[in-house]
Amino acid sequence: MATALNITGVVSVGGTYTGPTTLNSPVQRINHQLGNLSVGYGTGTGQATQLHDLRYTAGAIGQSVLLSAGSSDTDIYDDALSMTQVKMIVMQNLDAAESITITGDFITAGLGTITSLPIHAGGSLTFISPNGYTVAASSDAITHARGGGSNVYWRLFIVGV
Amino acid sequence: MASTATALDITVGTNVTGSYGKLLSTWFNTATVPATLGASTTYTYGTSAGQANFYAEATASISGGSSIDLYGGLSDAFGQTGNLTVVRELIVVNTSTTAGQNLVLTGNFITAALGTVTNIAVQPGGCVRFSSPTDGYTVTTSTQDTITLTPSSGTLIYKLAVVGTM
C-alpha cells in the first residue's frame, strides 16, 4: 500500500471574451479556479491514499475497472485498488475521432443516477469531491466501450481513499 | 438579442500535479512517482470544432430548483442572450461546506445531452466539468436546453460556466 500522496487538482477557466463593437468592444478578462482539490496522505476530508492512473483501450466489448476491495486492478505499485471513496476522477478520451461510452455501477450509482456517459472525441469528464463519492463493493465498476468502429485510447485518473 | 461577441480566447482545463509514493521495505526508502494530468483546451472565436462564440458564467443562492435555459435564458457579461446550439464546456460548482448537501443537476440538457442521465450529484465543495471540444453537446430548443439545479437540502450557492456556440 502506498505511504505518501500529495496531489492538487484544479479546474480552471481563463482568457478573454470581447463584446460587440456597438459597445466599443469591451473585454471580459476571465481567470477562475472553479474546482480545487488539494489532498495529502490519509483517510480524512482533504486526504487520500490511492492513485490509479492508467491508459486503457476501449473496444467493442465493455470492460470494467473495479475500484473496491478484491479488485484485480492496481495502482502503479501493483497494489490492488481498495477504495471506499473517490475524491477526484478524470476520464479523458485520447482519440481525435471516436467517442467512448462509460457505464458501470460506480458511474450509475456513485456519481448520481446515470445510465451512461459518453466521452466525445478529445473530450473529458471531471468530478471533484473533497468529501468523496462513495464506493461500495457492490457499486465499484467503471465500464468502458468504444462508441464507433475503432478502438479508442483513453485515460482514467482517480484519486481515492 | 444584443449584438454578438466579436472575439474569444478562452482556455478551460483540468490540471493535476503532485506525487504518489510507497515505502519499499526491502530497500528502506520511498519510491515516488509524479501524479500529473493536463486536460485543457484553448478555444478561439468561431463555430467550428475547437471554437466558441459565447461564454457566460452564473452564480446564485438557491433553496429550491432553479433552471437555466441554454437557448434564450442565459446572458453573457455584455447582456447578450445565448441561443446556444452547442455546449463545448460546462462547469458546475457546489460551494456548500455542509456534509451531505449535494447540488443535484437535472433538466433535459443534463438528462439527454450529457448521456443517459437521471441526475448528477455535485457534492459539497465539489465540481463537475463536461468537456467536448470537437463534437460539443447538442442544445435543442425546448427539448434539450434546460439545466435545473436543486439543493438536496437547505440553501447553497452554485457557480456555473458555459463555453458554447450559437
Side-chain angles (χ1 to χ4, degrees):
Chain A
M1 184 175 180
T3 53
L5 182 151
N6 191 341
I7 293 174
T8 298
V10 173
V11 174
S12 62
V13 182
T16 57
Y17 181 59
T18 305
T21 54
T22 52
L23 296 177
N24 202 25
S25 299
V27 176
Q28 179 185 10
R29 300 188 186 282
I30 305 156
N31 184 15
H32 298 308
Q33 277 194 9
L34 289 169
N36 194 330
L37 179 78
S38 185
V39 290
Y41 187 82
T43 59
T45 300
Q47 295 182 317
T49 56
Q50 284 204 305
L51 169 68
H52 180 70
D53 180 12
L54 202 59
R55 294 185 183 198
Y56 290 93
T57 302
I61 299 172
Q63 293 189 317
S64 295
V65 181
L66 301 178
L67 307 182
S68 186
S71 172
S72 59
D73 296 291
T74 63
D75 68 4
I76 190 78
Y77 301 111
D78 207 26
D79 291 326
L81 299 182
S82 58
M83 294 183 185
T84 57
Q85 294 179 338
V86 166
K87 305 276 179 148
M88 179 177 195
I89 177 169
V90 183
M91 297 174 279
Q92 185 179 20
N93 184 341
L94 302 173
D95 194 273
E98 300 280 1
S99 66
I100 62 174
T101 300
I102 302 294
T103 56
D105 48 27
F106 174 70
I107 299 296
T108 58
L111 301 179
T113 306
I114 297 166
T115 301
S116 65
L117 292 173
I119 308 176
H120 295 163
S124 63
L125 308 180
T126 302
F127 292 77
I128 291 175
S129 171
N131 293 334
Y133 287 99
T134 299
V135 180
S138 58
S139 58
D140 70 334
I142 297 174
T143 304
H144 55 99
R146 71 189 187 204
S150 302
N151 288 351
V152 173
Y153 290 107
W154 71 288
R155 182 177 181 181
L156 176 61
F157 186 99
I158 305 176
V159 179
V161 174
Chain B
M1 186 181 79
S3 300
T4 57
T6 53
L8 180 150
D9 181 1
I10 293 175
T11 299
V12 184
T14 301
N15 292 288
V16 179
T17 58
S19 61
Y20 184 58
K22 180 179 180 179
L23 178 64
L24 301 176
S25 56
T26 305
W27 300 97
F28 300 105
N29 60 8
T30 299
T32 301
V33 295
T36 59
L37 178 141
S40 297
T41 301
T42 296
Y43 295 92
T44 57
Y45 185 81
T47 59
S48 301
Q51 296 185 319
N53 60 9
F54 183 84
Y55 170 78
E57 51 196 47
T59 184
S61 176
I62 55 173
S63 57
S66 176
S67 292
I68 292 174
D69 186 344
L70 297 172
Y71 197 94
L74 183 64
S75 297
D76 68 10
F78 311 114
Q80 171 190 217
T81 301
N83 290 325
L84 293 174
T85 56
V86 169
V87 168
R88 302 210 184 274
E89 297 280 348
L90 171 66
I91 301 170
V92 183
V93 178
N94 176 1
T95 69
S96 171
T97 57
T98 302
Q101 190 178 39
N102 292 346
L103 173 61
V104 181
L105 307 181
T106 56
N108 55 27
F109 178 78
I110 298 293
T111 59
L114 299 185
T116 305
V117 173
T118 301
N119 65 66
I120 292 169
V122 188
Q123 297 198 339
C127 166
V128 297
R129 174 190 174 214
F130 290 80
S131 172
S132 179
T134 302
D135 297 335
Y137 296 104
T138 301
V139 179
T140 305
T141 181
S142 300
T143 59
Q144 195 166 295
D145 63 350
T146 302
I147 298 173
T148 300
L149 307 101
T150 307
S152 62
S153 62
T155 300
L156 61 76
I157 297 172
Y158 73 81
K159 295 180 181 178
L160 177 146
V162 174
V163 177
T165 65
M166 56 182 184

